[in-house]
Amino acid sequence: MTLTYEEVAAQVTAPGQLFEVVEEDVVGVRQRVFAHAPATLRQLFDSARGHGERTFLVFEDERWSFARVMASVDALAAALVGRYGVRPGDRVAIGMRNYPEWVVSFAAITSIGAISVSLNAWWGEEELAFALEDSSPRVLVADRERATRAAGTAGTAGTAARLGIVVVRSAGGEGLPPGAARWEDVVVAGAPMPAVEVGTDDDATILYTSGTTGRPKGAVSTNRAVLQALFGFACRAVIERIRKGADAPEDEGELTDMSFILVVPLFHVTGCVPVMLSCFALGMKMVMMHRWEPDRALALIEREQVTTFVGVPTQSWDLLESPRFHELDTSSLRSVGGGGAPAPATLVQRVADSFGRGTPAIGYGMTETNALGPGNSGADYLAHPTSTGCTVPILQVSIRDGLEGELPVGRSGEIWLKGPNLIRGYWNRPDATAGAFVDGWMRTGDLGRLDGEGFLYIEDRIKDVILRAGENVYPAEVESVLYEHPAVREAAVVGVTHERLGEEVAAVVVTRQGTTVGAAEIQAFVGERLATFKVPSRVQVVPGPLPRNAAGKVLKRELRERFSD
């Protein structure tokens, strides 16, 4: 008989176990925490030294061992302290695409008690100027494109006089911004890691939210928050392994064989915490993609025998729809999943049917939770394909109503979360912090419900609910139906202003290659499955992909503009 998730969770978190859970006061709030998690990121990175010459990073034709990475971490940390005067609590920004130097920079910055500020590599000058002014970093480590852009905006942002810029992969250093230094001249081999005291509740990271509406907010995490989240991912993996009948944890040989492919940006919480830091912690190989290309990803999975794929649902679709999918060997994959957006039930089944032993998985997390949240995988996911799964032992989930308080099982309301993995607040935004956090609980802004087994179902963003003539329409429900149509590859539903109804339902549909479908057919298809008021009254069928941000979220504001005429 298969043990339930709760039964195994109780075993692995019992006293004396690796994932033992205890209660502690965390900055004045009583929290359930993993007792044996590292206290600081510096401790985590120090432990990676024991992996020696094992391959850590694979980037194009480059292979970086753990030893090489840690030597570079030490050298950069020494330069930040000695050359640039960085002290604990100072901000150091990272602005680049996925390069090995991003990984080195993050480890060096947090090892000396500074705060790593992740800058979105997709940002234009205005967005970059805002983030530089908001976080006021002492140093920026960037690739040439971002360094040039930052130097051009630093004057207007008021940061030019104090911003040191270190440029990676500068191709000889020609054309660098004035005053900028080459990575090769700053990171001097053999320099030792500076002796710095770092506290578990000291700030460690600022990751900017996607900013799909208005200015992005800098989400601030402590060392404890990041590491509790990391331990949470490991705990869930062990729970699922035991439920499958395997021993836990994996032995050294099995860990050596495990590897991730990095298909999302490192400046996004998914790439940073569950992917990069998991590889650091467990001595696993991380195969880095500079940019997303499905065919290239398939080739790397085969070449490097990748075992874990963590992305957004669109990327799983891209793999399955690639003309080369059946030419290349993906049998090494054990897990295919991710988060960032709901996955339609049809995708869950296709992943299960198409990747051999690669089981489908999804997680509900966000920047504010360091990506950790309820997760669903394997048999549970196939049995509950519309659920994001059960929570981890340190994270509490509550469904709330502003007037009624906590709601009973089955009732829909706003999802509230509480755990030591949550951010401590938003940088320079006390108003936003006060609005999102109440007595240690975070208001997610998402609508959902819990069932009797503890499975969480995400219904939609509160702000995205369409109010049509007094009736609530949840876009996620309509989108799920649209994905069932054989010609639909991507779909998004938005509410647009209507003089009589208040709002009407509008849909944008991307068709699969070689298929055609009309608006009337789409409307009829939805009408056969949902109530009439949920059928999109306006439909656009387009051949290209939906607009998305770096986190994989559909930019619904842009879609609404398409219907504004």
Side-chain angles (χ1 to χ4, degrees):
M1 178 179 176
T2 302
L3 294 174
T4 67
Y5 184 91
E6 291 77 9
E7 289 170 336
V8 179
Q11 290 180 15
V12 302
T13 59
Q17 300 299 310
L18 175 62
F19 297 104
E20 177 183 355
V21 171
V22 297
E23 287 197 358
E24 288 183 7
D25 286 328
V26 179
V27 194
V29 177
R30 199 69 175 167
Q31 300 275 22
R32 290 167 55 82
V33 302
F34 290 113
H36 306 301
T40 66
L41 284 162
R42 182 182 175 110
Q43 288 183 14
L44 175 74
F45 299 134
D46 276 346
S47 69
R49 301 178 192 277
H51 302 313
E53 295 302 323
R54 183 185 304 171
T55 298
F56 179 18
L57 305 178
V58 176
F59 177 75
E60 300 297 337
D61 295 327
E62 301 175 22
R63 306 184 84 83
W64 292 51
S65 68
F66 279 92
R68 177 184 175 186
V69 168
M70 291 310 302
S72 298
V73 168
D74 293 345
L76 178 58
L80 291 174
V81 172
R83 177 169 178 160
Y84 294 100
V86 175
R87 298 293 179 263
D90 287 344
R91 274 76 60 206
V92 178
I94 306 174
M96 66 181 89
R97 298 291 290 268
N98 284 357
Y99 288 119
E101 290 86 351
W102 202 109
V103 179
V104 171
S105 299
F106 182 90
I109 294 163
T110 54
S111 289
I112 58 173
I115 302 170
S116 174
V117 181
S118 298
L119 302 177
N120 190 319
W122 292 11
W123 279 342
E125 289 190 2
E126 183 179 345
E127 295 159 309
L128 185 58
F130 166 78
L132 290 174
E133 178 69 13
D134 185 54
S135 62
S136 59
R138 183 176 289 270
V139 180
L140 167 66
V141 186
D143 57 24
R144 179 188 289 272
E145 181 179 351
R146 257 54 61 174
T148 302
R149 195 177 301 165
T153 63
T156 58
T159 59
R162 54 177 165 73
L163 183 64
I165 300 178
V166 180
V167 183
V168 307
R169 302 186 179 247
S170 57
E174 297 179 3
L176 293 186
R182 297 191 316 148
W183 172 275
E184 294 82 0
D185 297 330
V186 170
V187 181
V188 180
M193 170 65 67
V196 178
E197 290 293 326
V198 183
T200 188
D201 289 314
D202 290 350
D203 292 341
T205 64
I206 298 176
L207 276 72
Y208 280 90
T209 57
S210 54
T212 54
T213 56
R215 291 289 194 186
K217 299 190 294 290
V220 187
S221 286
T222 63
N223 282 264
R224 185 198 300 269
V226 176
L227 291 163
Q228 288 288 319
L230 185 63
F231 240 56
F233 287 111
C235 179
R236 175 183 292 139
V238 169
I239 290 171
E240 293 301 338
R241 182 176 173 81
I242 294 174
R243 292 187 68 206
K244 292 176 182 177
D247 295 329
E250 291 90 345
D251 63 28
E252 183 74 8
E254 288 175 307
L255 287 176
T256 304
D257 292 339
M258 292 180 65
S259 57
F260 275 79
I261 183 168
L262 178 72
V263 299
V264 293
L266 283 164
F267 60 74
H268 182 249
V269 68
T270 301
C272 182
V273 180
V275 179
M276 180 189 77
L277 290 183
S278 289
C279 291
F280 248 122
L282 299 175
M284 295 188 293
K285 180 173 64 178
M286 184 170 77
V287 181
M288 305 178 69
M289 294 197 71
H290 183 63
R291 64 175 62 86
W292 173 243
E293 298 176 38
D295 290 353
R296 175 65 172 159
L298 288 167
L300 287 171
I301 290 168
E302 178 182 80
R303 188 187 83 182
E304 299 295 333
Q305 291 294 285
V306 171
T307 62
T308 309
F309 178 95
V310 175
V312 295
T314 302
Q315 292 172 311
S316 296
W317 277 120
D318 288 346
L319 293 181
L320 291 166
E321 295 292 320
S322 167
R324 300 199 65 197
F325 179 74
H326 294 291
E327 299 175 16
L328 295 164
D329 182 9
T330 60
S331 62
S332 62
L333 285 171
R334 303 180 194 175
S335 177
V336 180
T346 50
L347 175 59
V348 179
Q349 191 61 55
R350 276 196 69 183
V351 168
D353 293 341
S354 304
F355 282 98
R357 61 174 179 164
T359 58
I362 196 168
Y364 169 63
M366 55 195 73
T367 304
E368 288 84 349
T369 69
N370 279 289
L372 182 68
N376 204 357
S377 65
D380 280 345
Y381 199 7
L382 293 172
H384 305 271
T386 58
S387 171
T388 192
C390 299
T391 191
V392 291
I394 60 165
L395 185 65
Q396 299 176 59
V397 179
S398 177
I399 307 298
R400 303 285 183 96
D401 181 275
L403 298 177
E404 299 182 41
E406 189 163 19
L407 299 174
V409 168
R411 287 279 302 277
S412 296
E414 184 178 12
I415 301 167
W416 288 35
L417 301 173
K418 181 181 180 183
N421 58 300
L422 300 183
I423 64 170
R424 70 155 179 84
Y426 297 105
W427 188 258
N428 291 335
R429 296 288 295 274
D431 54 339
T433 300
F437 294 88
V438 182
D439 298 329
W441 288 89
M442 185 187 74
R443 305 183 62 172
T444 67
D446 289 328
L447 284 172
R449 60 183 171 84
L450 288 164
D451 68 14
E453 298 178 84
F455 283 83
L456 178 66
Y457 295 79
I458 311 298
E459 293 176 333
D460 230 309
R461 290 289 294 171
I462 289 175
K463 67 176 184 295
D464 286 342
V465 174
I466 301 167
L467 187 60
R468 181 191 182 279
E471 296 284 354
N472 286 342
V473 179
Y474 298 113
E477 179 186 21
V478 183
E479 290 164 359
S480 181
V481 170
L482 290 170
Y483 273 109
E484 295 177 12
H485 193 288
V488 173
R489 179 176 180 178
E490 290 188 86
V493 173
V494 297
V496 294
T497 303
H498 188 275
E499 184 176 3
R500 182 174 64 86
L501 300 172
E503 287 185 295
E504 63 179 328
V505 183
V508 179
V509 169
V510 178
T511 55
R512 296 183 186 278
Q513 188 174 4
T515 66
T516 58
V517 66
E521 182 181 342
I522 290 292
Q523 291 167 324
F525 184 83
V526 176
E528 293 171 359
R529 292 159 176 81
L530 295 177
T532 302
F533 69 87
K534 298 179 182 179
V535 176
S537 54
R538 302 177 68 178
V539 177
Q540 287 187 359
V541 180
V542 297
L546 297 176
R548 296 177 183 271
N549 65 18
K553 297 178 182 177
V554 174
L555 298 175
K556 292 197 171 184
R557 180 174 53 189
E558 291 188 15
L559 297 184
R560 291 187 188 95
E561 292 173 357
R562 297 187 184 186
F563 295 98
S564 62
D565 298 335

